[in-house]
Amino acid sequence: MDMGNQHASITALQEIQRKVKDLEQSVATFSGLQSDPEYKKLEKALTKQLFEIESIDTEGKGNILQARKRAIEEVERLLKELEQNANHPCRLEIEKIFKEAQCLVAQQIAPMYGGRRCITEEFEEGIQNILMRLTQVKTEGKASLRKARYRTLTKVLAIQEILDNCLKQQVLALPLSTDAHPSISKINSVLLEVNKARGSLIALLAGVNECETYRHLSCVLSGLIADLDALDVSGHVEVRNYRKEVVEEINNLLKYLDLEEEACFTSAYDLAKNQSIVKIEFIRKRSTEIKACVLERGHNMSDIHVGTKSELQGLIAQLDEISVEKNPCIREARRRAVVEIQTVISYVDLKEAIERRHSPCNQANPEHPSHTTVWMVLGSLSDLQKEVLSFDGNRADKNYIRLEELLTNQLLTLDAIDSQGDDRSKEARKQAVKFANNILSYLDMKNRRMGVLDFSLTKIAQDS
């Protein structure tokens, strides 16, 4: 058709269709519910275009009638898709699970406003269970469901990470007396505000704090940093270090404040196409191949130690270069990959040390009895570590419970060793205890948050 002679109604329909096309992507990736303002905004915009299409005069012309009919069908399709996205069973399941997280936070959050140490194991396990169930929700390849699951996971992961840091540090201790320096009192008061902000942030992430916003909390935390920067602590190393610790606490909280905005980008929630995840998965695949070779060999570790360890350390260096893009799922995937590789390296190191110890040139050297006992435990730990590296079950498995009990027994054996003043034995026992605890932590990591790890990898992101 000659565009110069095109009927005005056709031109009007084409203009409306362009506007509808602009709304199509927003509809396809809509991840909220019918009660969300964004849903009402999209519904209103589509309905407006529908009214405008229906108001176009066809003048009884068949071609205009057909064009108007197709335009109406397209808008009605998008309205139906919008409604289906908001009411999809998987979307409602995600919301149901998140509401459970909200209930947990609402019950636990009040004491945190005062910075008190009252996070219970039940609460921590509840959050873990919620994360596991979220990762098991299928998205059927739909962008809207991937986005909804990612945004929810992002918030719950952030809550978990904040709580983990809180439990590890149990809130920063006040290392200096207020008499030590005039600035100490101010730093202490800022620290109390930081503890309150931590509670406010968790409530905000969980959506149970209607009186707070990300923007306001960011201003509050930035203001606290400004107050600390204004303090004159020159010439007082302890006070300066104390202030630095509090500033780091504030910066750790600030990094969570842009999660909502970041979750809107396709590169964030569509992990199957995320280059950082692809790189991590590639590195993990190679490290798994190396681990299989190492575990299969089992002896003469010194023959492969140098090359194997060098390649594994090279993989860690590659992981360190991967950008996590402010994405907690990618950050968790990278952290786990690093821990997995470090565990293989520690296994190779210990196996080589045991083989070296059993060599004829070392057996003749006399040593303290307690030192011999420590090495016997290390031999047992090496065997257990091999099993842990191979273990692929869950926490309910009998084998998991058995490994946990055996590792705990080795720790008890180490605690019972009396070094009798022998410094070498004392240091060896200390290292053995650290080694045993690291194996326990690795076993716990492999299974305690297995769902989170699976979500962070492409095989889950692709949703079979």
Side-chain angles (χ1 to χ4, degrees):
M1 179 183 291
D2 186 351
M3 296 300 294
N5 298 323
Q6 183 169 273
H7 196 284
S9 295
I10 293 293
T11 302
L13 279 171
Q14 290 176 342
E15 180 61 29
I16 293 173
Q17 286 176 314
R18 278 193 289 271
K19 294 178 181 178
V20 172
K21 190 69 175 177
D22 291 340
L23 294 169
E24 185 175 10
Q25 182 63 23
S26 297
V27 171
T29 59
F30 176 73
S31 61
L33 304 169
Q34 280 187 300
S35 58
D36 293 351
E38 182 63 20
Y39 180 93
K40 301 183 186 303
K41 179 181 176 181
L42 285 171
E43 185 181 43
K44 182 179 179 181
L46 289 168
T47 303
K48 178 183 177 182
Q49 300 307 318
L50 188 61
F51 286 152
E52 290 188 7
I53 293 171
E54 291 175 342
S55 67
I56 289 177
D57 185 7
T58 65
E59 300 178 5
K61 296 179 182 286
N63 63 327
I64 301 178
L65 280 169
Q66 287 298 319
R68 188 177 72 170
K69 180 182 178 182
R70 287 193 297 270
I72 289 173
E73 288 175 348
E74 178 61 17
V75 176
E76 288 178 341
R77 181 187 69 80
L78 291 179
L79 281 167
K80 184 178 180 181
E81 182 180 351
L82 179 65
E83 183 180 2
Q84 288 175 339
N85 285 347
N87 293 298
H88 194 286
C90 293
R91 178 64 187 91
L92 298 179
E93 178 66 16
I94 291 170
E95 186 65 16
K96 176 185 174 184
I97 296 172
F98 186 60
K99 285 190 179 298
E100 292 181 27
Q102 289 180 315
C103 291
L104 279 173
V105 171
Q107 294 168 4
Q108 191 74 29
I109 199 61
M112 285 200 69
Y113 278 100
R116 296 197 291 275
R117 311 171 187 177
C118 52
I119 301 302
T120 63
E121 289 185 6
E122 290 77 13
F123 180 69
E124 190 182 13
E125 290 175 0
I127 293 294
Q128 294 286 355
N129 179 56
I130 285 167
L131 283 169
M132 179 71 75
R133 289 164 57 199
L134 279 173
T135 60
Q136 293 170 347
V137 175
K138 295 298 182 182
T139 64
E140 302 174 2
K142 290 176 66 68
S144 60
L145 293 177
R146 284 203 305 270
K147 185 176 179 180
R149 186 178 66 172
Y150 170 76
R151 294 178 70 171
T152 307
L153 267 169
T154 296
K155 292 177 181 179
V156 180
L157 273 169
I159 291 171
Q160 181 200 58
E161 192 171 277
I162 294 169
L163 291 176
D164 282 349
N165 291 336
C166 184
L167 288 170
K168 288 175 184 176
Q169 299 173 4
Q170 287 295 315
V171 183
L172 283 174
L174 306 183
L176 301 177
S177 167
T178 53
D179 298 331
H181 191 276
S183 297
I184 294 298
S185 178
K186 177 61 178 178
I187 298 175
N188 289 349
S189 65
V190 169
L191 182 56
L192 291 176
E193 293 302 315
V194 172
N195 293 335
K196 292 178 182 178
R198 182 185 292 108
S200 297
L201 176 57
I202 292 175
L204 186 58
L205 289 166
V208 297
N209 188 353
E210 298 179 356
C211 300
E212 186 62 271
T213 64
Y214 288 98
R215 182 182 295 275
H216 177 258
L217 189 55
S218 177
C219 291
V220 170
L221 291 171
S222 298
L224 293 176
I225 289 180
D227 291 343
L228 292 172
D229 288 342
L231 296 176
D232 182 11
V233 295
S234 57
H236 295 80
V237 177
E238 291 111 336
V239 181
R240 187 166 61 248
N241 288 338
Y242 180 31
R243 183 181 66 175
K244 180 181 178 182
E245 287 182 332
V246 179
V247 170
E248 287 176 352
E249 274 291 289
I250 297 173
N251 285 328
N252 285 336
L253 297 181
L254 280 169
K255 70 182 182 182
Y256 298 108
L257 296 180
D258 55 358
L259 290 179
E260 188 69 14
E261 179 181 349
E262 185 267 342
C264 294
F265 296 102
T266 304
S267 60
Y269 62 82
D270 197 355
L271 294 181
K273 300 177 182 178
N274 187 286
Q275 287 305 304
S276 293
I277 285 293
V278 172
K279 291 176 183 176
I280 292 171
E281 183 67 1
F282 179 79
I283 293 170
R284 287 187 71 250
K285 182 179 179 181
R286 178 56 189 152
S287 69
T288 300
E289 292 172 353
I290 296 174
K291 180 179 74 173
C293 292
V294 168
L295 296 180
E296 183 179 355
R297 189 177 185 94
H299 62 281
N300 294 331
M301 202 62 65
S302 58
D303 294 344
I304 65 169
H305 174 262
V306 176
T308 300
K309 186 175 180 180
S310 178
E311 184 174 359
L312 288 170
Q313 289 175 335
L315 294 179
I316 291 179
Q318 292 178 42
L319 287 168
D320 289 341
E321 294 174 356
I322 293 176
S323 171
V324 298
E325 305 166 9
K326 300 179 181 179
N327 187 318
C329 295
I330 300 175
R331 183 169 60 247
E332 178 69 3
R334 186 179 69 174
R335 184 188 71 82
R336 286 170 169 273
V338 169
V339 171
E340 287 175 0
I341 296 172
Q342 288 174 333
T343 304
V344 177
I345 291 175
S346 68
Y347 172 75
V348 172
D349 283 343
L350 181 57
K351 289 291 290 184
E352 185 194 32
I354 291 173
E355 290 176 3
R356 196 164 51 237
R357 174 179 167 78
H358 290 159
S359 65
C361 61
N362 287 327
Q363 288 182 349
N365 297 330
E367 63 181 11
H368 196 279
S370 60
H371 193 259
T372 303
T373 306
V374 171
W375 273 98
M376 290 176 61
V377 174
L378 282 170
S380 299
L381 287 174
S382 178
D383 294 336
L384 289 172
Q385 188 180 30
K386 181 177 182 179
E387 288 193 59
V388 171
L389 282 166
S390 303
F391 181 71
D392 195 26
N394 57 57
R395 295 173 71 86
D397 289 354
K398 291 182 178 179
N399 201 30
Y400 178 93
I401 298 172
R402 180 184 69 84
L403 287 170
E404 192 174 45
E405 288 179 351
L406 288 173
L407 287 166
T408 303
N409 287 338
Q410 296 303 318
L411 279 170
L412 293 174
T413 301
L414 288 169
D415 287 340
I417 294 175
D418 184 2
S419 61
Q420 299 177 355
D422 183 69
D423 292 338
R424 190 178 174 209
S425 300
K426 186 184 298 183
E427 181 61 25
R429 185 168 72 91
K430 179 181 177 181
Q431 293 300 318
V433 168
K434 182 179 179 180
F435 189 80
N437 281 322
N438 285 342
I439 301 174
L440 273 170
S441 297
Y442 175 70
L443 177 64
D444 183 63
M445 184 201 79
K446 285 185 71 175
N447 301 277
R448 187 178 177 208
R449 303 177 192 170
M450 186 62 73
V452 179
L453 176 59
D454 286 348
F455 171 76
S456 301
L457 304 179
T458 50
K459 65 189 181 72
I460 290 296
Q462 290 170 340
D463 288 297
S464 57

